[in-house]
Amino acid sequence: MGLWEDSNYGKGMIIGVIDTGIHPDHPLFSDVGMPPPPAKWKGVCESNFKTKCNNKLIGARSYQLANGSFIDDNGHGTHTSGTAAGAFAKGANVFGNANGTAVGVAPLAHLAIHKVCNSNGKCSDSDILAAIDSAIDDGVDILSISLGGSCWPFYDDNNALWAYSATERGILVSCSAGNDGPSTDSVGNTAPWILTVGASTLDRKIKATAKLGNREKYEGESAYRPMFSNSTFFTRFDAAKNASETPYCKPGSLTDPAIRGKIVLCLQDDVVSNIDKGQAVKDAGGVGMIIINQPSYGATPAMDVSAADGTKILSYMNSTSNPVATITFQGTVIGDKNAPIVAAFSSCRPSEASPGILKPDIIGPGVNILAAWPISVDDNRNTKSRFNILSGTSMSCPHLSGVAALLKSTHPDWSPAAIKSAIMTTADTLNLANSPILDERLLSADIYAIGAGHVNPSRANDPGLVYDTPFEDYVRYFCGLNYTNPQVGKLLKRKVNCSDVESIPEAQLNYPSFSISGLGSTPQTYTRTVTNVGDAKSSYKVRIASPKGVVMKVKPSKLNFSMLNQKLTYQVTFSKTTNSSKSGVVEGFLKWNSNRHSVRSPIAVVFALAT
């Protein structure tokens, strides 16, 4: 139903994945029911990989000179490829959790895999450049790049440079926003020609409950299923009371023999992974582990317990000479009404390279994502289910890559900018409880965390209007960023003289969102042009939710269309109210509403600092 039916599951689309390779024998990469690749496809499967390719996996290139094999020896690329375009595979689960049929977002799309990263996830710029050049020449429709990006100016940002070349050829580039949240100014891959994707939770939890000796219960999550009885109580051990390294349970730091046979409390950090913490506890003889989040991480799924609950657990431990606990495992629970929640790790805050462009653009599923994995993670139980549950904006990026493939299949004439606009202007801003989307602290998520909101694929298929950025406007945009002629030339791969170009400020780029910086006593006015892709004869009225302390005026207030693909322009003036002393960011939105469509643009305003 919905977009799957309308797009024929992405049939005919080619998604290029730039990652750690792929494990081709996984059932998600079966070509049962797949048509041959389209005639435009010019790619190849390398000589040592030809027998592994099929009508699903139509291209395979390795840029790892030290290891020419294309097989994924990391797992990351297999996971992201399956998420974007995996076939239907029954019996998917991890430790029996989330059991069911796994499938990618665009299951009839073809995959072209480019291995640029080694088994440690290290990727060289030269390999990435070679891969993107090949993908462009081979004929991909979408590029899915779950790799980190910098906050440098675009002429020094390799991802931005390469993505620009791809976008110029009509290829939509979807990239991860980064996993440095909730720190400010942390978002990467912020070029306006890139679809920058943040991460959100699902309405599925894999629930575990810690029950203390005082009968208090605290909910968390774990994919583990124990061999012992759920009712068994074990003595607790607080790692934070020992040497300086042990609160975070670093490998090799847990040397106290008292740990043996106990449940160990560890603190969450951004250095030691939860898997490494668990291995350290296991190596020290512990029978279990509870990880207490940082306060900023709230109660986001994938972290064992919240900081607030962790404080209560520690208080109980300090109140008795023999603290005990048991962990019960309830398994898969569907129906979290707070979903989607913005993931704590999802990078946010203004783009340093271009504050006049709101980033991330969109958020999508990126927490506890079950997808293909090269091996079984449950070897001790002899399962044949080769799946793993991972979290990160690396997981949300291929979701949006798949959605873009579906939209391109349905609307082959849409440009990358039009596809991005359709995704952004139709996004959800409310959760399943019909309340504003929350962040990791269970507070309303701000605009720098969610961008336009959470992707709604079916609505994106029929957006009504799109903001289609003319590619020639990027030259005016670059000159407006005060780049030098050589810097602009580096982006365009040709000579440019900005003195001959009518430059524009950042916020003037025909983008589906507004990011207004430095609003002071002088009003700021910008124009936008929308293209009618809905009903030939249609009328739209503007609805404004002005940011606090800002007056917005839109001219005209009504747009009347008489044909498809007709373009109309409107003007927005932002003025600071005389009594406003607000600092920081304020947010609002602008909507164009017809009888059948609602086209929403998020608005972020930062006031000028008082002199």
Side-chain angles (χ1 to χ4, degrees):
M1 59 182 295
L3 182 52
W4 259 357
E5 181 182 28
D6 294 341
S7 66
N8 199 4
Y9 299 86
K11 183 179 179 180
M13 293 295 102
I14 303 170
I15 301 177
V17 181
I18 312 294
D19 214 300
T20 63
I22 196 170
H23 201 279
D25 297 325
H26 196 283
L28 275 183
F29 308 123
S30 164
D31 68 345
V32 174
M34 286 288 299
K40 68 172 184 174
W41 174 244
K42 299 182 179 66
V44 298
C45 283
E46 292 184 339
S47 57
N48 62 345
F49 209 73
K50 284 182 179 178
T51 59
K52 300 293 185 181
C53 285
N54 56 27
N55 284 336
K56 164 61 74 177
L57 181 56
I58 61 173
R61 297 179 185 266
S62 176
Y63 303 85
Q64 292 286 297
L65 296 180
N67 178 13
S69 170
F70 201 85
I71 300 297
D72 181 11
D73 46 11
N74 175 283
H76 191 274
T78 298
H79 201 277
T80 58
S81 299
T83 300
F88 288 85
K90 295 181 179 180
N93 69 86
V94 174
F95 294 103
N97 295 301
N99 191 36
T101 299
V103 63
V105 177
L108 285 187
H110 306 281
L111 282 167
I113 308 302
H114 301 77
K115 182 175 180 176
V116 299
C117 308
N118 63 22
S119 59
N120 296 320
K122 301 297 183 183
C123 330
S124 78
D125 286 347
S126 59
D127 289 342
I128 299 171
L129 173 60
I132 292 178
D133 276 348
S134 295
I136 292 172
D137 293 339
D138 290 346
V140 304
D141 298 288
I142 309 294
L143 269 174
S144 187
I145 307 178
S146 289
L147 305 178
S150 73
C151 299
W152 298 331
F154 299 135
Y155 55 81
D156 276 340
D157 180 346
N158 288 329
N159 282 9
L161 287 166
W162 307 326
Y164 186 85
S165 297
T167 308
E168 192 173 21
R169 295 278 290 271
I171 300 167
L172 183 137
V173 182
S174 172
C175 291
S176 303
N179 300 330
D180 294 324
S183 302
T184 59
D185 303 319
S186 61
V187 68
N189 292 317
T190 59
W193 49 91
I194 291 175
L195 180 64
T196 310
V197 186
S200 63
T201 67
L202 307 172
D203 66 341
R204 178 185 69 205
K205 290 184 176 183
I206 303 175
K207 187 177 176 182
T209 302
K211 183 178 180 181
L212 309 185
N214 62 1
R215 297 187 179 182
E216 293 294 325
K217 295 181 180 179
Y218 301 97
E219 182 181 321
E221 283 202 273
S222 175
Y224 180 69
R225 286 291 185 91
M227 297 296 189
F228 53 81
S229 167
N230 272 340
S231 61
T232 304
F233 274 81
F234 294 91
T235 305
R236 302 285 286 280
F237 183 90
D238 182 4
K241 286 188 174 181
N242 290 267
S244 59
E245 288 189 345
T246 52
Y248 304 106
C249 299
K250 294 182 180 180
S253 67
L254 300 175
T255 57
D256 192 329
I259 292 174
R260 186 167 297 279
K262 294 184 174 66
I263 293 176
V264 181
L265 260 67
C266 302
L267 300 183
Q268 189 274 341
D269 69 331
D270 295 324
V271 178
V272 183
S273 73
N274 290 353
I275 291 175
D276 288 341
K277 293 179 194 293
Q279 188 64 50
V281 171
K282 183 178 180 181
D283 291 345
V287 296
M289 174 179 67
I290 294 176
I291 297 176
I292 300 173
N293 283 327
Q294 299 174 15
S296 61
Y297 270 55
T300 305
M303 302 301 163
D304 284 340
V305 296
S306 69
D309 285 351
T311 300
K312 296 173 183 176
I313 293 171
L314 289 170
S315 176
Y316 159 71
M317 291 191 67
N318 293 329
S319 70
T320 177
S321 60
N322 184 34
V324 295
T326 187
I327 303 175
T328 57
F329 300 85
Q330 288 85 12
T332 307
V333 178
I334 303 291
D336 179 8
K337 295 298 183 183
N338 284 330
I341 296 172
V342 182
F345 57 75
S346 186
S347 290
C348 56
R349 295 301 169 189
S351 161
E352 291 186 359
S354 185
I357 302 295
L358 179 62
K359 291 287 182 170
D361 294 307
I362 197 79
I363 58 173
V367 176
N368 289 353
I369 303 303
L370 183 146
W373 200 246
I375 60 173
S376 171
V377 297
D378 195 8
D379 289 334
N380 291 334
R381 304 177 196 206
N382 298 316
T383 180
K384 295 181 180 179
S385 179
R386 289 183 290 151
F387 293 88
N388 200 1
I389 294 175
L390 300 183
S391 297
T393 54
S394 284
M395 284 64 250
S396 53
C397 167
H399 277 87
L400 269 295
S401 305
V403 170
L406 297 178
L407 295 175
K408 183 74 173 176
S409 179
T410 308
H411 306 280
D413 58 329
W414 279 7
S415 68
I419 294 173
K420 180 197 289 189
S421 173
I423 289 171
M424 292 173 63
T425 61
T426 58
D428 292 331
T429 57
L430 302 179
N431 61 19
L432 292 177
N434 213 31
S435 299
I437 290 175
L438 304 175
D439 64 15
E440 69 285 349
R441 301 162 298 173
L442 300 184
L443 302 175
S444 291
D446 69 28
I447 196 167
Y448 288 138
I450 68 170
H454 190 274
V455 62
N456 185 324
S458 291
R459 285 194 62 209
N461 193 38
D462 184 21
L465 307 174
V466 293
Y467 294 80
D468 198 357
T469 309
F471 212 79
E472 57 270 19
D473 280 5
Y474 285 123
V475 182
R476 304 169 63 203
Y477 165 75
F478 295 146
C479 292
L481 287 171
N482 295 320
Y483 289 173
T484 65
N485 291 337
Q487 289 166 347
V488 178
K490 187 177 178 182
L491 281 155
L492 301 180
K493 298 181 176 60
R494 59 181 172 84
K495 288 187 177 181
V496 174
N497 187 350
C498 278
S499 61
D500 297 332
V501 174
E502 184 181 350
S503 64
I504 58 173
E506 302 166 74
Q508 179 58 31
L509 195 66
N510 200 47
Y511 212 70
S513 57
F514 292 84
S515 181
I516 312 302
S517 55
L519 183 62
S521 57
T522 303
Q524 297 184 24
T525 300
Y526 302 99
T527 60
R528 289 289 190 272
T529 299
V530 288
T531 304
N532 181 24
V533 295
D535 301 318
K537 291 185 177 181
S538 52
S539 180
Y540 289 80
K541 291 182 179 179
V542 73
R543 179 192 166 197
I544 299 169
S546 296
K548 189 174 183 180
V550 178
V551 173
M552 287 174 55
K553 293 184 179 179
V554 178
K555 294 182 180 179
S557 60
K558 191 173 183 179
L559 300 174
N560 295 312
F561 294 92
S562 57
M563 64 182 74
L564 282 176
N565 297 316
Q566 181 182 356
K567 297 179 184 291
L568 292 177
T569 298
Y570 67 92
Q571 177 178 286
V572 188
T573 299
F574 300 88
S575 304
K576 183 179 179 181
T577 58
T578 54
N579 60 351
S580 175
S581 59
K582 182 86 174 174
S583 60
V585 63
V586 290
E587 56 188 85
F589 63 83
L590 177 157
K591 279 185 181 180
W592 289 101
N593 294 327
S594 72
N595 291 334
R596 208 168 63 82
H597 296 99
S598 181
V599 186
R600 182 183 185 274
S601 292
I603 298 168
V605 176
V606 177
F607 294 116
L609 295 174
T611 57

